[in-house]
Amino acid sequence: MKKTINFNKGFLPAAILSCAIIVFGIVGFFVKGINLGLDFRPGLIEEIRVAEPVAEISYKGSANVSMDLSAGQMDIIISGTGADNETRSFNFAVLKTVGELAAEVNKLADVTMTVKNASYDSTKLFLNSAVTNQLTSTPIYIYPAGTSEITTDDIRNALGEVGGNIKQLGTGADASYQIRMGVSEGDAQNEIQSSINDKLYKAFGKEKVAIVKTDFIGAGMSKSTSIKSIIMFIAVVGLIWLYATIRFHWDFALGSVIALIHDTLIMFTFIIWTQMEFSSTVLAAVLTIVGYSINATVVILDRVRYNLKMMPEAKTFNEILNKSLSDTFTRSVLTTVTTLFAVVSLFVFTSGSIKDFSLAMIVGLICGMYSSIFISSGFISSTRKNWKSEYGVHHSLKHVRADDV
């Protein structure tokens, strides 16, 4: 016979611990605030690299010529009046260095590729995304990945009074730098971006600054996204409460919702104090945990409902709770651990927003199992302290229906 664990002894300490953590999160909200991502705060995010170009390419003919560069090959697209419409592809598996690549590219009429570092690996090249890929007499610079020699302090000093938040992405020579600048209503993206880039060009030289990616969201869009996210969360919790009320009993449903809100607040405490960027990806992690947590809670509540009918000898409601929690404990742990295997793998082997998603999921999975056992059950236990004296064992069993406890 499976041993029954007295989980009810942990209900009060767990409630005190959770309250302390939530209060800690509230304090953090006022002290540190939430590190809102661009989805929820108007502003500009620009990712840059600073490196000496390894080559430059230009075109002096009359046709329309553009260039695409990927990790596997370079494509030169030729079109226009009087030109043979064609695409010339240069495979980096064959042309392994910048020097070999340039030798082939220079065979094209009126196209000139000037090399500054002939031995560099051709698979580690990128273009400045802020510059058109249309080839003209003005050279387009080709940059090497993995040669950064600057730091976040260098970027911060270069921006000076322009300010902004600077974050290093990657490590060592492979590092790029994310600059985030808040905006006000009416601020134009071009003006802000020009202000940032002018400072960077002056500090490092225009030819050395490569813009990898740029994102911008206005104040109106940011406000709309925030409001929709709040409405979505309330709707999700409301529907879960309705489902639990129909399937179980009002105190079971309310206990489930309290556990969900508890998990959300604990996750926000973690997000606040670690200053993880709260983006739409992290919001997805929070909503995923809401679904995971209610599933774990429903399994326990189903067992409680079953044991209410099968344990007429129970003298207190806590006996039924302890038996139900003991019956489902192994399943809860195994489900959480196996899910953690996948999430931890994501955290270890990915970067950027997916890493933040997986870290939030790790915290949420552990918290979801904890709240299903101690917070939801603890609340239900508190509402049924007088279960025996109020209903009596036989009276309670008489009124228990298959779909309502």
Side-chain angles (χ1 to χ4, degrees):
M1 184 176 179
K2 185 179 291 187
K3 180 181 178 181
T4 299
I5 304 172
N6 292 326
F7 285 98
N8 67 296
K9 293 183 179 180
F11 291 163
L12 182 59
I16 294 172
L17 174 63
S18 293
C19 288
I21 294 174
I22 291 169
V23 169
F24 188 56
I26 294 172
V27 171
F29 176 78
F30 290 103
V31 173
K32 299 175 74 70
I34 301 177
N35 181 22
L36 293 174
L38 191 61
D39 297 335
F40 302 98
R41 186 174 70 179
L44 170 75
I45 289 183
E46 184 171 276
E47 183 182 342
I48 68 162
R49 286 180 182 267
V50 178
E52 189 77 40
V54 293
E56 59 183 55
I57 186 168
S58 60
Y59 174 70
K60 296 183 179 179
S62 58
N64 294 322
V65 179
S66 59
M67 174 179 61
D68 286 332
L69 183 63
S70 67
Q73 66 183 32
M74 174 190 284
D75 295 322
I76 303 291
I77 301 97
I78 304 170
S79 62
T81 305
D84 294 330
N85 294 333
E86 62 175 328
T87 298
R88 295 290 300 275
S89 299
F90 303 91
N91 194 318
F92 296 155
V94 178
L95 308 172
K96 296 184 179 181
T97 66
V98 174
E100 294 174 359
L101 175 64
E104 292 299 314
V105 170
N106 286 329
K107 293 178 181 179
L108 297 176
D110 299 319
V111 176
T112 303
M113 183 171 175
T114 305
V115 177
K116 298 185 177 183
N117 185 348
S119 62
Y120 195 81
D121 187 346
S122 58
T123 62
K124 297 181 178 180
L125 303 177
F126 64 93
L127 299 174
N128 186 335
S129 67
V131 176
T132 177
N133 63 347
Q134 194 76 26
L135 296 184
T136 64
S137 57
T138 302
I140 292 179
Y141 295 106
I142 300 175
Y143 293 92
T147 59
S148 177
E149 296 180 352
I150 65 169
T151 65
T152 52
D153 288 336
D154 294 326
I155 301 291
R156 189 172 291 107
N157 292 335
L159 294 178
E161 71 276 6
V162 173
N165 295 324
I166 295 95
K167 179 181 179 181
Q168 180 174 319
L169 305 177
T171 58
D174 291 322
S176 61
Y177 299 88
Q178 184 187 83
I179 302 168
R180 186 166 68 185
M181 184 75 63
V183 299
S184 302
E185 190 75 43
D187 287 347
Q189 175 183 356
N190 291 340
E191 294 178 0
I192 299 170
Q193 192 170 359
S194 296
S195 176
I196 293 173
N197 292 345
D198 287 344
K199 293 286 186 180
L200 296 174
Y201 295 156
K202 183 177 180 180
F204 304 112
K206 187 172 183 178
E207 75 283 355
K208 293 183 179 181
V209 178
I211 299 171
V212 179
K213 183 173 63 175
T214 301
D215 291 313
F216 182 84
I217 186 169
M221 181 64 71
S222 173
K223 183 178 180 181
S224 174
T225 303
S226 300
I227 293 173
K228 288 178 180 177
S229 298
I230 294 171
I231 292 174
M232 179 170 57
F233 178 79
I234 294 173
V236 168
V237 173
L239 289 172
I240 288 174
W241 171 80
L242 180 62
Y243 160 78
T245 301
I246 294 172
R247 181 168 181 179
F248 299 107
H249 193 264
W250 72 266
D251 55 346
F252 281 34
L254 189 55
S256 302
V257 170
I258 288 173
L260 297 183
I261 295 174
H262 164 275
D263 295 343
T264 304
L265 292 175
I266 297 296
M267 289 183 73
F268 269 97
T269 297
F270 178 80
I271 290 167
I272 288 169
W273 282 102
T274 59
Q275 284 297 283
M276 177 191 297
E277 183 176 275
F278 185 74
S279 62
S280 56
T281 305
V282 174
L283 174 62
V286 173
L287 293 176
T288 301
I289 290 303
V290 168
Y292 178 89
S293 180
I294 190 61
N295 178 68
T297 303
V298 164
V299 170
I300 294 172
L301 296 184
D302 265 333
R303 178 59 64 170
V304 173
R305 182 172 62 180
Y306 175 79
N307 285 335
L308 272 166
K309 294 183 292 181
M310 301 304 294
M311 296 177 62
E313 75 282 0
K315 297 180 179 179
T316 64
F317 188 74
N318 278 340
E319 288 184 37
I320 295 173
L321 267 181
N322 288 334
K323 180 65 168 62
S324 302
L325 291 169
S326 298
D327 290 344
T328 57
F329 181 69
T330 301
R331 180 190 185 279
S332 298
V333 171
L334 288 177
T335 302
T336 301
V337 170
T338 51
T339 309
L340 277 172
F341 286 154
V343 177
V344 170
S345 297
L346 279 177
F347 177 73
V348 173
F349 297 110
T350 61
S351 60
S353 60
I354 299 299
K355 197 177 189 72
D356 289 343
F357 172 85
S358 55
L359 182 57
M361 283 288 293
I362 290 171
V363 175
L365 286 169
I366 296 171
C367 184
M369 181 180 69
Y370 158 80
S371 67
S372 296
I373 295 173
F374 292 104
I375 303 303
S376 176
S377 300
F379 172 80
I380 296 169
S381 173
S382 68
T383 63
R384 301 202 175 197
K385 283 183 177 179
N386 300 320
W387 174 73
K388 180 187 173 184
S389 59
E390 182 179 350
Y391 299 109
V393 173
H394 297 291
H395 183 74
S396 174
L397 288 172
K398 182 179 178 180
H399 287 79
V400 169
R401 303 195 315 251
D403 60 344
D404 188 9
V405 293

PDB file of all heavy atoms in Angstrom, residues 126-142:
ATOM      1  N   PHE A 126      29.153  39.045 -43.445  1.00  0.00           N
ATOM      2  CA  PHE A 126      27.817  39.623 -43.407  1.00  0.00           C
ATOM      3  C   PHE A 126      27.876  41.051 -43.936  1.00  0.00           C
ATOM      4  O   PHE A 126      28.943  41.665 -44.021  1.00  0.00           O
ATOM      5  CB  PHE A 126      27.231  39.581 -41.991  1.00  0.00           C
ATOM      6  CG  PHE A 126      27.974  40.416 -40.983  1.00  0.00           C
ATOM      7  CD1 PHE A 126      27.591  41.713 -40.722  1.00  0.00           C
ATOM      8  CD2 PHE A 126      29.056  39.894 -40.284  1.00  0.00           C
ATOM      9  CE1 PHE A 126      28.267  42.490 -39.790  1.00  0.00           C
ATOM     10  CE2 PHE A 126      29.740  40.650 -39.354  1.00  0.00           C
ATOM     11  CZ  PHE A 126      29.346  41.957 -39.097  1.00  0.00           C
ATOM     12  N   LEU A 127      26.699  41.574 -44.286  1.00  0.00           N
ATOM     13  CA  LEU A 127      26.576  42.928 -44.816  1.00  0.00           C
ATOM     14  C   LEU A 127      25.964  43.850 -43.774  1.00  0.00           C
ATOM     15  O   LEU A 127      25.368  43.401 -42.794  1.00  0.00           O
ATOM     16  CB  LEU A 127      25.701  42.937 -46.069  1.00  0.00           C
ATOM     17  CG  LEU A 127      26.183  42.113 -47.267  1.00  0.00           C
ATOM     18  CD1 LEU A 127      25.130  42.128 -48.359  1.00  0.00           C
ATOM     19  CD2 LEU A 127      27.501  42.643 -47.785  1.00  0.00           C
ATOM     20  N   ASN A 128      26.086  45.134 -44.013  1.00  0.00           N
ATOM     21  CA  ASN A 128      25.425  46.135 -43.189  1.00  0.00           C
ATOM     22  C   ASN A 128      23.966  46.199 -43.623  1.00  0.00           C
ATOM     23  O   ASN A 128      23.653  46.598 -44.742  1.00  0.00           O
ATOM     24  CB  ASN A 128      26.115  47.488 -43.395  1.00  0.00           C
ATOM     25  CG  ASN A 128      25.588  48.561 -42.451  1.00  0.00           C
ATOM     26  OD1 ASN A 128      24.470  48.482 -41.974  1.00  0.00           O
ATOM     27  ND2 ASN A 128      26.403  49.575 -42.207  1.00  0.00           N
ATOM     28  N   SER A 129      23.046  45.801 -42.741  1.00  0.00           N
ATOM     29  CA  SER A 129      21.628  45.733 -43.107  1.00  0.00           C
ATOM     30  C   SER A 129      21.030  47.109 -43.358  1.00  0.00           C
ATOM     31  O   SER A 129      19.960  47.223 -43.959  1.00  0.00           O
ATOM     32  CB  SER A 129      20.833  45.032 -42.005  1.00  0.00           C
ATOM     33  OG  SER A 129      20.825  45.813 -40.821  1.00  0.00           O
ATOM     34  N   ALA A 130      21.674  48.166 -42.877  1.00  0.00           N
ATOM     35  CA  ALA A 130      21.160  49.521 -43.062  1.00  0.00           C
ATOM     36  C   ALA A 130      21.515  50.077 -44.438  1.00  0.00           C
ATOM     37  O   ALA A 130      21.040  51.143 -44.828  1.00  0.00           O
ATOM     38  CB  ALA A 130      21.706  50.439 -41.982  1.00  0.00           C
ATOM     39  N   VAL A 131      22.359  49.379 -45.162  1.00  0.00           N
ATOM     40  CA  VAL A 131      22.798  49.816 -46.489  1.00  0.00           C
ATOM     41  C   VAL A 131      22.127  48.953 -47.543  1.00  0.00           C
ATOM     42  O   VAL A 131      21.981  47.746 -47.383  1.00  0.00           O
ATOM     43  CB  VAL A 131      24.336  49.711 -46.612  1.00  0.00           C
ATOM     44  CG1 VAL A 131      24.782  50.073 -48.021  1.00  0.00           C
ATOM     45  CG2 VAL A 131      25.013  50.599 -45.581  1.00  0.00           C
ATOM     46  N   THR A 132      21.710  49.564 -48.642  1.00  0.00           N
ATOM     47  CA  THR A 132      21.088  48.810 -49.719  1.00  0.00           C
ATOM     48  C   THR A 132      22.055  47.771 -50.285  1.00  0.00           C
ATOM     49  O   THR A 132      23.265  47.973 -50.268  1.00  0.00           O
ATOM     50  CB  THR A 132      20.639  49.760 -50.846  1.00  0.00           C
ATOM     51  OG1 THR A 132      20.103  48.985 -51.914  1.00  0.00           O
ATOM     52  CG2 THR A 132      21.807  50.575 -51.371  1.00  0.00           C
ATOM     53  N   ASN A 133      21.488  46.682 -50.768  1.00  0.00           N
ATOM     54  CA  ASN A 133      22.341  45.663 -51.398  1.00  0.00           C
ATOM     55  C   ASN A 133      22.459  45.881 -52.908  1.00  0.00           C
ATOM     56  O   ASN A 133      22.949  45.034 -53.631  1.00  0.00           O
ATOM     57  CB  ASN A 133      21.817  44.256 -51.112  1.00  0.00           C
ATOM     58  CG  ASN A 133      20.437  44.020 -51.710  1.00  0.00           C
ATOM     59  OD1 ASN A 133      19.754  44.948 -52.142  1.00  0.00           O
ATOM     60  ND2 ASN A 133      20.026  42.765 -51.734  1.00  0.00           N
ATOM     61  N   GLN A 134      21.996  47.047 -53.366  1.00  0.00           N
ATOM     62  CA  GLN A 134      22.133  47.411 -54.773  1.00  0.00           C
ATOM     63  C   GLN A 134      23.557  47.889 -55.028  1.00  0.00           C
ATOM     64  O   GLN A 134      24.047  48.813 -54.370  1.00  0.00           O
ATOM     65  CB  GLN A 134      21.138  48.525 -55.124  1.00  0.00           C
ATOM     66  CG  GLN A 134      20.952  48.758 -56.616  1.00  0.00           C
ATOM     67  CD  GLN A 134      20.103  47.692 -57.258  1.00  0.00           C
ATOM     68  OE1 GLN A 134      19.284  47.078 -56.590  1.00  0.00           O
ATOM     69  NE2 GLN A 134      20.295  47.469 -58.549  1.00  0.00           N
ATOM     70  N   LEU A 135      24.246  47.268 -55.978  1.00  0.00           N
ATOM     71  CA  LEU A 135      25.630  47.628 -56.258  1.00  0.00           C
ATOM     72  C   LEU A 135      25.690  48.851 -57.166  1.00  0.00           C
ATOM     73  O   LEU A 135      25.028  48.907 -58.208  1.00  0.00           O
ATOM     74  CB  LEU A 135      26.363  46.462 -56.922  1.00  0.00           C
ATOM     75  CG  LEU A 135      26.528  45.189 -56.098  1.00  0.00           C
ATOM     76  CD1 LEU A 135      27.354  44.162 -56.869  1.00  0.00           C
ATOM     77  CD2 LEU A 135      27.173  45.479 -54.762  1.00  0.00           C
ATOM     78  N   THR A 136      26.487  49.841 -56.742  1.00  0.00           N
ATOM     79  CA  THR A 136      26.721  51.065 -57.513  1.00  0.00           C
ATOM     80  C   THR A 136      28.209  51.374 -57.460  1.00  0.00           C
ATOM     81  O   THR A 136      29.009  50.568 -56.985  1.00  0.00           O
ATOM     82  CB  THR A 136      25.916  52.237 -56.925  1.00  0.00           C
ATOM     83  OG1 THR A 136      26.399  52.522 -55.599  1.00  0.00           O
ATOM     84  CG2 THR A 136      24.421  51.916 -56.858  1.00  0.00           C
ATOM     85  N   SER A 137      28.555  52.567 -57.919  1.00  0.00           N
ATOM     86  CA  SER A 137      29.957  52.970 -57.861  1.00  0.00           C
ATOM     87  C   SER A 137      30.415  53.242 -56.436  1.00  0.00           C
ATOM     88  O   SER A 137      31.617  53.266 -56.147  1.00  0.00           O
ATOM     89  CB  SER A 137      30.179  54.220 -58.722  1.00  0.00           C
ATOM     90  OG  SER A 137      29.328  55.272 -58.297  1.00  0.00           O
ATOM     91  N   THR A 138      29.459  53.454 -55.516  1.00  0.00           N
ATOM     92  CA  THR A 138      29.797  53.614 -54.101  1.00  0.00           C
ATOM     93  C   THR A 138      29.989  52.229 -53.483  1.00  0.00           C
ATOM     94  O   THR A 138      29.060  51.409 -53.524  1.00  0.00           O
ATOM     95  CB  THR A 138      28.686  54.361 -53.337  1.00  0.00           C
ATOM     96  OG1 THR A 138      28.479  55.639 -53.932  1.00  0.00           O
ATOM     97  CG2 THR A 138      29.065  54.534 -51.877  1.00  0.00           C
ATOM     98  N   PRO A 139      31.138  51.936 -52.936  1.00  0.00           N
ATOM     99  CA  PRO A 139      31.417  50.570 -52.452  1.00  0.00           C
ATOM    100  C   PRO A 139      30.500  50.144 -51.310  1.00  0.00           C
ATOM    101  O   PRO A 139      30.115  50.950 -50.453  1.00  0.00           O
ATOM    102  CB  PRO A 139      32.876  50.658 -51.973  1.00  0.00           C
ATOM    103  CG  PRO A 139      33.447  51.861 -52.640  1.00  0.00           C
ATOM    104  CD  PRO A 139      32.306  52.824 -52.783  1.00  0.00           C
ATOM    105  N   ILE A 140      30.128  48.885 -51.305  1.00  0.00           N
ATOM    106  CA  ILE A 140      29.448  48.246 -50.178  1.00  0.00           C
ATOM    107  C   ILE A 140      30.485  47.410 -49.440  1.00  0.00           C
ATOM    108  O   ILE A 140      31.195  46.609 -50.048  1.00  0.00           O
ATOM    109  CB  ILE A 140      28.291  47.353 -50.656  1.00  0.00           C
ATOM    110  CG1 ILE A 140      27.165  48.213 -51.241  1.00  0.00           C
ATOM    111  CG2 ILE A 140      27.754  46.496 -49.511  1.00  0.00           C
ATOM    112  CD1 ILE A 140      25.985  47.401 -51.761  1.00  0.00           C
ATOM    113  N   TYR A 141      30.547  47.608 -48.127  1.00  0.00           N
ATOM    114  CA  TYR A 141      31.540  46.892 -47.331  1.00  0.00           C
ATOM    115  C   TYR A 141      31.034  45.514 -46.929  1.00  0.00           C
ATOM    116  O   TYR A 141      29.846  45.330 -46.631  1.00  0.00           O
ATOM    117  CB  TYR A 141      31.899  47.695 -46.079  1.00  0.00           C
ATOM    118  CG  TYR A 141      32.597  49.005 -46.387  1.00  0.00           C
ATOM    119  CD1 TYR A 141      31.928  50.223 -46.266  1.00  0.00           C
ATOM    120  CD2 TYR A 141      33.926  49.011 -46.804  1.00  0.00           C
ATOM    121  CE1 TYR A 141      32.561  51.415 -46.548  1.00  0.00           C
ATOM    122  CE2 TYR A 141      34.577  50.212 -47.090  1.00  0.00           C
ATOM    123  CZ  TYR A 141      33.878  51.402 -46.967  1.00  0.00           C
ATOM    124  OH  TYR A 141      34.512  52.589 -47.265  1.00  0.00           O
ATOM    125  N   ILE A 142      31.932  44.560 -46.936  1.00  0.00           N
ATOM    126  CA  ILE A 142      31.650  43.199 -46.468  1.00  0.00           C
ATOM    127  C   ILE A 142      32.431  42.990 -45.182  1.00  0.00           C
ATOM    128  O   ILE A 142      33.644  43.228 -45.130  1.00  0.00           O
ATOM    129  CB  ILE A 142      32.056  42.153 -47.521  1.00  0.00           C
ATOM    130  CG1 ILE A 142      31.270  42.384 -48.820  1.00  0.00           C
ATOM    131  CG2 ILE A 142      31.808  40.739 -46.995  1.00  0.00           C
ATOM    132  CD1 ILE A 142      31.682  41.469 -49.958  1.00  0.00           C
TER     133      ILE A 142
END
